[in-house]
Amino acid sequence: MITRIEIDGFKSFESFALDLPPFLVLIGTNASGKSNLLDALTFVSRAATHGLDDAVEMVRGDARGLFRRRGDGTRVDRMSFALEFLLGGFPPHVPNRWRYEVDLSWAEPEHALEGIVVEAQRIVALLPQNDRWLGRVGMTPEWFDAGLVGHHSEHAIDMLWGPAGERPGLNGLHLRTDRPTSVEADPPDRLIVSQVRLELKTVRSLHLEAGALRRPSDLGGNRFLSPNGSSLPNYLRYLARETKSRTRPLGVLGEIKMHLVGLVREVSDFAIVEDEHRRDVRLEFSSPYEQGIGAEFASDGTLRMLAILAVLHDQGLMAIEEPENGVFPERLRQLLGLAHGLVTDVTELPEFDEQGAPRPYRQAIFTSHSPVVLDAVPDANIAFLDMTTVLEGGKASRVSRVRWLREGDGPVQVEGERWPRVTDSELNRFRAGVEEPV
């Protein structure tokens, strides 16, 4: 689970930091940085697991355009990211609070193509005394008693970006091979690196499109949900097979069906149809009055809610843009409440399956323009993004900032927070759909 993200120099972000609870809704007007934040998560996770070339392809904009533009029209030449994790899958008493840091720059070498290069990266232990996130989410004393929440001494793992002998930045996150390591070390470096890679690999950002959701999947094709929602039938089939057991023959598919029927009264069931003749996999819905309704006849909202329910039953961090599109406000309210209940409750000790393996963490981030969020989601799970002005060399630049909502009648300016809390008048303008003055 990613518990904090820090961004500097990427798109609209300057010295940006955000603590991430298991469930978070980002609200704000257009062009405030909500989509940029999801791009940042996608970029750093894909870069570390698939390489920089792939990461650039997965986000909006060209490579140079990913660097923040200053007020005078020039771009910065460096950007950095830091992600903090609550890691799972460790043996007892191996600390699971770690921080991944990476610095990148724009290079124009004399005898090579210009592009993004990695300057440095490392994984460091989070010391309990420096770990503010634990208090924010209400971590229980049992975590501390079990010795799980942090290392009690400085520990850093230097990283190599790409296998030795290949262009730096090409193939992602690797443990350095030029110094001895031991899997028996405490903590074991290779295990830490492996778990960080797994966490980054399960970050998925979705901007669902109705046309893509309606398409059948190729039999034997992509088993994961694409960012626009294509391959949904194969993804549902994959989830069912991966999670089924003797006591749960449908796996999580049974729960997904139950939740969809609860959200969409016009749907009583759906089926995954595998057609060997057509070599495809498609979805068919049933209503109280009709069966065998193809996905091409289902409503946009039904397909979007089905895809969102599917990813909420998977492991890792799911970042979903604007779930309200095509969804009736009352059903959006129900969906948000359901999503909040499906993520991992970190105030409880980890759960383990029948084989003794820890159950995977579930985490969700939504972006939204809908005022329904303010009534359906607790204030502690809402973050407000807008733009502000900073001075650089005497010139004004516009950057994204994030602010939390006020706690009742509490102060607007809170000690330790860079920006003031969101005022009631700002929330009223958001409810009314009124843009903030520039």
Side-chain angles (χ1 to χ4, degrees):
M1 178 179 295
I2 298 176
T3 60
R4 181 177 174 87
I5 181 169
E6 299 173 9
I7 315 166
D8 189 41
F10 179 86
K11 290 199 171 182
S12 59
F13 298 112
E14 178 264 345
S15 299
F16 178 92
L18 174 63
D19 290 319
L20 298 176
F23 178 65
L24 180 67
V25 182
L26 301 169
I27 63 172
T29 59
N30 291 329
S32 59
K34 300 187 299 298
S35 295
N36 286 349
L37 181 56
L38 301 196
D39 276 348
L41 281 167
T42 299
F43 177 80
V44 68
S45 61
R46 295 292 294 196
T49 55
H50 294 76
L52 282 169
D53 292 340
D54 182 88
V56 172
E57 290 293 324
M58 290 295 295
V59 298
R60 299 164 302 148
D62 60 272
R64 188 67 177 116
L66 299 181
F67 290 81
R68 183 172 63 82
R69 184 190 292 272
R70 301 185 184 95
D72 61 4
T74 63
R75 293 192 182 274
V76 300
D77 292 323
R78 307 181 72 84
M79 60 182 169
S80 62
F81 300 87
L83 297 174
E84 295 180 3
F85 298 92
L86 177 68
L87 299 178
F90 288 168
H93 305 294
V94 175
N96 59 7
R97 295 288 285 136
W98 296 86
R99 176 182 172 94
Y100 168 59
E101 301 171 344
V102 59
D103 300 317
L104 307 102
S105 65
W106 181 257
E108 296 182 355
E110 184 178 352
H111 301 295
L113 290 176
E114 70 281 355
I116 304 174
V117 296
V118 178
E119 298 288 342
Q121 63 170 341
R122 66 176 187 157
I123 296 172
V124 297
L126 278 174
L127 303 179
Q129 61 267 30
N130 300 331
D131 200 343
R132 298 187 309 167
W133 181 81
L134 299 176
R136 178 182 285 277
V137 298
M139 193 69 76
T140 59
E142 286 80 8
W143 283 87
F144 296 91
D145 296 339
L148 293 171
V149 296
H151 205 55
H152 293 274
S153 62
E154 298 287 348
H155 186 92
I157 307 171
D158 293 326
M159 309 305 301
L160 196 65
W161 194 278
E166 296 192 11
R167 178 165 66 89
L170 185 63
N171 289 319
L173 177 64
H174 295 267
L175 186 65
R176 288 184 66 94
T177 56
D178 58 354
R179 65 180 180 87
T181 59
S182 170
V183 293
E184 288 80 23
D186 183 20
D189 289 358
R190 294 189 186 279
L191 178 58
I192 303 300
V193 173
S194 174
Q195 287 299 120
V196 169
R197 280 183 58 86
L198 179 61
E199 289 289 336
L200 292 170
K201 195 173 183 178
T202 54
V203 172
R204 297 174 197 167
S205 181
L206 302 177
H207 187 81
L208 301 172
E209 300 173 3
L213 291 167
R214 287 192 166 85
R215 288 198 289 266
S217 301
D218 293 332
L219 200 59
N222 184 17
R223 64 180 181 174
F224 294 112
L225 193 65
S226 300
N228 65 359
S230 64
S231 69
L232 177 59
N234 261 353
Y235 180 57
L236 288 165
R237 188 169 63 136
Y238 161 74
L239 288 178
R241 293 188 179 185
E242 284 292 304
T243 59
K244 71 177 181 180
S245 64
R246 183 177 57 84
T247 57
R248 299 171 70 203
L250 294 179
V252 298
L253 195 62
E255 297 170 31
I256 293 171
K257 289 186 176 188
M258 177 186 68
H259 292 314
L260 183 67
V261 171
L263 288 169
V264 185
R265 292 185 296 274
E266 296 83 2
V267 172
S268 58
D269 196 5
F270 70 87
I272 303 170
V273 180
E274 302 175 29
D275 192 320
E276 288 285 350
H277 179 69
R278 292 168 43 167
R279 303 297 300 165
D280 68 13
V281 183
R282 59 186 184 274
L283 297 175
E284 290 187 353
F285 295 87
S286 298
S287 76
Y289 316 103
E290 187 178 1
Q291 295 183 347
I293 305 169
E296 62 270 26
F297 300 108
S299 71
D300 293 0
T302 297
L303 292 168
R304 291 178 63 83
M305 284 190 282
L306 175 56
I308 292 171
L309 289 172
V311 298
L312 289 173
H313 283 82
D314 203 352
Q315 62 178 313
L317 187 156
M318 306 298 168
I320 303 164
E321 291 199 64
E322 301 174 8
E324 64 266 23
N325 289 346
V327 176
F328 187 70
E330 182 55 34
R331 294 180 181 181
L332 174 63
R333 186 191 309 274
Q334 292 177 263
L335 179 63
L336 292 170
L338 186 59
H340 193 190
L342 286 173
V343 299
T344 298
D345 185 353
V346 295
T347 64
E348 300 179 357
L349 285 172
E351 296 183 358
F352 297 85
D353 61 21
E354 295 81 359
Q355 288 72 42
R359 297 192 184 279
Y361 292 132
R362 292 174 178 170
Q363 186 175 11
I365 298 176
F366 290 88
T367 70
S368 180
H369 298 112
S370 174
V372 169
V373 170
L374 297 177
D375 299 321
V377 178
D379 289 354
N381 297 93
I382 301 174
F384 187 91
L385 269 73
D386 62 1
M387 301 293 287
T388 191
T389 301
V390 297
L391 291 177
E392 297 180 287
K395 295 187 179 295
S397 299
R398 298 287 286 173
V399 299
S400 295
R401 65 176 178 176
V402 64
R403 297 184 291 153
W404 297 99
L405 275 57
R406 287 177 65 190
E407 298 178 356
D409 295 327
V412 172
Q413 193 69 54
V414 177
E415 184 179 357
E417 295 184 4
R418 182 183 181 187
W419 305 112
R421 295 282 178 112
V422 183
T423 64
D424 292 341
S425 61
E426 288 177 293
L427 290 182
N428 288 336
R429 284 194 291 270
F430 178 77
R431 282 190 173 95
V434 177
E435 291 272 3
E436 288 288 320
V438 177

